Amino acid sequence: MIFLIRLPDFVAQKDFEWAVPQVWEKKKLDCSKAEYLFIDEGLLKLR
């Protein structure tokens, strides 16, 4: 099962890598399987 969370453009992979251990320290939530994935959705075409 895959869950996706859309992040704002200003969140970089280094921010994600910093946040994963922070979540464990503060919330004891295991995010070790979480991945930062960039998906290019292409150009938006408006009619």
Side-chain angles (χ1 to χ4, degrees):
M1 192 178 297
I2 297 174
F3 297 97
L4 299 175
I5 299 173
R6 185 166 185 197
L7 299 173
D9 291 337
F10 61 82
V11 177
Q13 184 159 357
K14 64 181 175 96
D15 301 318
F16 175 81
E17 291 169 359
W18 170 85
V20 170
Q22 294 294 315
V23 171
W24 174 251
E25 287 178 25
K26 294 181 180 182
K27 302 288 183 178
K28 302 300 182 211
L29 181 64
D30 182 15
C31 295
S32 62
K33 293 183 180 180
E35 297 179 34
Y36 181 89
L37 179 65
F38 177 78
I39 298 175
D40 185 7
E41 298 179 26
L43 297 175
L44 177 64
K45 183 177 181 182
L46 300 175
R47 292 183 179 196

